[in-house]
């Protein structure tokens, strides 16, 4: 889904909860990776790998000048012979530490082995975000969760498009850190270099 289609979708969704919910979640995601700067890990389930979201976040990271948004896709069946961006296995979750952000995308509640790894990453200090079911162990252990239950007006894939697009928007506030200062300097420079207002 390109930027034009996302814009059209947003127009259709005006007046629903989805716009605010996806922007809040995207703000939490961006705020976590930018303020901590420790990297973004993205994982799904054996049946559902969020590679499409990974690709969109890489694009948004480049377009927004926010390299921290580019995720490491963690895969259940990664093999050493896979290309480097597809060869990161679940062992990477065991190495997750404070300052890193772990985004778990799952249409259904993940199985116990993944939940244990996510719980371990949280105990090690990683920030955990959940995109998927609104109930169960995963949303309960997440620092921030966006529920996309079965039967919603939007499916999980569509919600991921909205989240990735919102995460790349430069208008999103960053709670603290170096980008906030850079944004203030940028706005000041624009103000100082703007032509004077016309006088009649």
């Amino acid at each position: 889904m390109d930027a034009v289609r996302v814009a059209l979708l947003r127009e259709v969704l005006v007046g629903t909860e989805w716009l605010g919910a996806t922007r809040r979640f995207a703000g939490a995601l961006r705020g976590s990776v930018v303020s901590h700067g420790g990297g973004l890990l993205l994982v799904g389930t054996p049946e559902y790998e969020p590679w499409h979201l990974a690709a969109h976040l890489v694009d948004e990271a480049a377009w927004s000048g926010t390299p921290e948004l580019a995720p490491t896709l963690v895969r259940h069946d990664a093999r050493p012979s896979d290309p480097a961006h597809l060869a990161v296995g679940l062992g990477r979750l065991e190495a997750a530490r404070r300052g890193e952000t772990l985004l778990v995308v799952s249409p259904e509640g993940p199985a116990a082995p993944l939940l244990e790894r996510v719980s371990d990453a949280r105990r090690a200090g990683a920030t955990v975000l959940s995109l998927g079911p609104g109930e169960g162990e995963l949303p309960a252990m997440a620092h921030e969760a966006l529920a996309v239950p079965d039967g919603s007006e939007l499916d999980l894939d569509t919600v991921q498009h909205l989240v990735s697009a919102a995460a790349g928007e430069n208008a999103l506030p960053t709670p603290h850190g170096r980008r906030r200062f850079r944004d203030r300097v940028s706005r000041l420079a624009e103000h100082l270099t703007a032509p004077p207002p016309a006088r009649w």
Side-chain angles (χ1 to χ4, degrees):
M1 186 178 295
D2 58 28
V4 173
R5 290 182 182 164
V6 169
L8 291 172
L9 177 59
R10 284 175 169 169
E11 285 183 27
V12 171
L13 293 173
V14 168
T16 71
E17 295 178 4
W18 286 110
L19 285 182
T22 53
R23 281 199 164 116
R24 276 190 302 277
F25 186 80
L29 171 62
R30 181 174 173 137
S32 177
V33 298
V34 169
S35 62
H36 294 135
L40 172 60
L41 303 174
L42 176 62
V43 67
T45 64
E47 301 79 26
Y48 188 90
E49 287 191 336
W51 60 267
H52 202 118
L53 176 58
H56 280 291
L57 286 171
V58 167
D59 289 343
E60 294 296 339
W63 293 332
S64 67
T66 312
E68 299 92 343
L69 280 175
T72 297
L73 179 61
V74 178
R75 301 179 63 226
H76 290 261
D77 61 352
R79 297 178 300 274
S81 59
D82 290 335
H85 68 288
L86 298 176
V88 179
L90 291 176
R92 179 62 182 87
L93 297 184
E94 295 168 9
R97 295 290 173 258
R98 182 171 308 283
E100 293 186 305
T101 301
L102 172 58
L103 173 55
V104 184
V105 181
S106 170
E108 302 165 355
L114 178 58
L115 286 171
E116 288 172 17
R117 290 174 190 246
V118 172
S119 178
D120 290 345
R122 180 183 166 121
R123 277 197 299 275
T127 300
V128 176
L129 288 85
S130 162
L131 183 57
E135 299 178 350
E137 291 181 60
L138 178 60
M141 76 172 67
H143 293 93
E144 188 77 30
L146 178 57
V148 189
D150 277 341
S152 301
E153 303 90 344
L154 301 180
D155 63 14
L156 185 58
D157 289 336
T158 303
V159 171
Q160 290 176 70
H161 284 289
L162 292 169
V163 167
S164 62
E169 290 176 343
N170 285 320
L172 280 173
T174 53
H176 51 333
R178 61 183 185 266
R179 286 208 56 83
R180 180 182 217 189
F181 175 74
R182 192 180 309 156
D183 289 343
R184 286 197 318 253
V185 170
S186 176
R187 281 196 302 272
L188 177 61
E190 287 173 8
H191 176 71
L192 293 174
T193 58
R199 296 187 181 188
W200 299 96

